Amino acid sequence: MNNTDLSLGLRKRVLYSSIGLAIVVSAIFISVAFNLSRDLGQSLEFDHSNKMLLQLTKSVKAIIFADEINEFPLNEDVKKELIALLDKDVIGFEIWINNKHIKLKNSSFYSQDDGIANAINTKKSSYGFIENETEMLFWVYESSSNDDLSILMVNKTHALDKAISYVSNRLFITAFLTFWLTVWVALFISALLTKRFEQSNERLKYLATHDMLTGLPNRAYLYEHAQSYFNPESVKKHQDLNTLFAVYVIDLDKFKDINDTMGHLVGDELLKAISKRLCNLRDKNSQVIRYGGDEFVVWCDDLNENDAISLAEDIVLLCRQPISVNNYVFETSVSVGVAYYPASGQKLEDLLKNADIAMYRAKKHRLGFQVFQQELFTRTEFRINLRGQLNAALEKHQFVLHYQPKVQLPDNNIVGVEALVRWLHPKEGLLMPNMFIDIIEQSMFVHEFTRYMLLQAIIQCREWLNNGIELPIAVNISPYNLMDPELVGYLCDLLKHYKVPAALIEIELTENASMVNIDKTREVFLQLKKLGVKLSIDDFGTGMSSLAYIKHLDVDYIKIDRSFIIDVVTDSRDEAVISGLLVLCQKLDKLTIVEGVETIEQANKLASLGCTLAQGYLYSRPLSAEGIVSLLSKQKVETDNEIININ
Ligand code: C2E
Ligand code: CA
Ligand code: CA
């Protein structure tokens, strides 16, 4: 039912119920007033007739008893004299005296009346009304035992008729006026109600289809309005004109970090600023939607492919302009996924899903924007399949650890290893962590998975200890694991059970920008520290929280991210960053490890800057446990400073 039907229905209901109410009120009013007027009329009639009868009785007595006319029947002159006394409305006047019955006036109208007959028979004074078809009669019977005189008088009513007709006239007018007024009031109220109803309906509709923060249409609006685009005629039109309808899914990068660190008010302001920018891009064929959280959707019709791409570029560039909010300046960026209709989907859901897939790729590879292609879907499908196999993979022990050495500079002695997971997939072969770690992190297996990795690493450590190898193993944990209340207890039990010294286990926590919760991290790190395990911050310098981490967390190692190492030989800025970090870490009493060292030049440069610990393909790729053992034994026989490289 639409709103017009609803309001029409409401109007009708108000009108009908008001009319109904008016009728009921009028009916009650009429009936009460009618009864009242009748009672009043009767009482008036009674007073009037009684007075008349009293006078008549006096006169009758005077005439009958005056001249001692005690003969009956009365002679005609006396009768005439008595009749002359009667009012013209008196239609019955009968006298009983000395057992004589004299009918001065009588009529068949009342001859049958039981009330009168009863009064006469019992000689009891009484009165009453007789209603015949045309008129109303009032009778009064007065019997006086002193004189043995009884009189019956019947007369036509006047007061009653008058009262009733008087009242009924006015009643009719009043009832009509009440009715008329009620109908108008009802019409007025119903119009008022309808207006209010329509206004609140409009408001509700607006609230349901718009986002309160930015004022932009929301997801409900999108589904309501965009659906009309998707039909066979529209497909044909776009094919004939060689135009497309593009859906852009826009997601703010690192918005959660800003929200978490700067507070929701700043986050809100940022969203408003971005929404304004997107609206500035709008032309008549486009629409900006706040799809949810930090996600916006823009749709634009009648574009050619070049226009569609330049719109995506415009969105990316526009959102990269610094935004100032509450005296802070934010360097924002967005990732945009684009899907074309009809090529990339003929339904809104498909287009959004595909644009979303493209957006994730753009975000992951920091591309700015990505146009959907079928291969992306295949890859997503592949990952979805992997997600479904996680549980079985854990149960079937398909996750195995490889170990990459950490070396001491400049002599390159192996001082520890980092445990890196691999998935021995029965169909896909050896899968590297970048294919599945994020799937695990997003799943409920993340805690179970990490505990399993800790178990494997500790078992390996025990095995090496049994063979006389004392080699610290670093295990990677995801920031999500910090939320696992049993993590520390579990690790403690493992260390005890396998009798592995805690100092041989190191926990590497990625400085993941999407999980900045310093308080929680500090709390868990303190517990881990108490156990005696070593702690390190991984990929240092990539997240937003680097300095907060380094300041607030009591860690042993800082692993400087590979991105600073790649160009350290050629780019003096990277060199400056690393030198600075080294000084900082030294001041804060933390050891640094440089990651991703691939060339001798890099190694020499880093050593000259003061790096003491390194990891990278130059020294060794990640190896199986056996590979590490043979590398260690090789190292033993190496006598000079030659760099070990098994590649
Ligand atoms: P990460 O912790 O930064 O690990 C180092 C990654 O860099 C490893 O990749 C390693 O093979 C690679 N690498 C080492 N030296 C070099 C080099 O010289 N050049 C280049 N290009 N790469 C180098 P891998 O094994 O693919 O692991 C990738 C990431 O997956 C790891 O990065 C870590 O964040 C995550 N990961 C691996 N194993 C686990 C695990 O058991 N649990 C968790 N939560 N994450 C893990
Ligand atoms: Ca690591
Ligand atoms: Ca790393």
Side-chain angles (χ1 to χ4, degrees), residues 418 420 476 508 538 559 595:
E418 176 178 4
L420 294 159
N476 289 284
E508 284 190 17
D538 205 356
K559 295 186 80 174
E595 291 190 290

Side-chain angles (χ1 to χ4, degrees), residues 401 404 418-422 432-434 437 441 446 449-450 453 475-478 481 508 510 538-539 559 561-562 595-598 602 615-618 620-622:
L401 284 176
Q404 186 178 36
E418 176 178 4
L420 294 159
V421 69
R422 271 87 184 102
M432 300 308 264
N434 63 352
I437 276 291
E441 285 185 339
V446 65
F449 170 81
T450 299
M453 291 303 122
V475 180
N476 289 284
I477 72 162
S478 148
N481 295 131
E508 284 190 17
T510 310
D538 205 356
D539 306 333
K559 295 186 80 174
D561 191 65
R562 187 175 151 253
E595 291 190 290
V597 183
E598 292 184 354
Q602 285 171 339
Q615 191 181 334
Y617 292 168
L618 175 66
S620 168
R621 283 185 177 258

Side-chain angles (χ1 to χ4, degrees), residues 131-155:
E131 197 175 343
N132 71 21
E133 283 149 20
T134 50
E135 59 200 345
M136 184 83 108
L137 304 175
F138 177 74
W139 61 266
V140 54
Y141 174 79
E142 193 63 47
S143 176
S144 152
S145 54
N146 296 346
D147 309 328
D148 197 14
L149 176 71
S150 302
I151 297 176
L152 169 72
M153 186 179 76
V154 182
N155 60 344

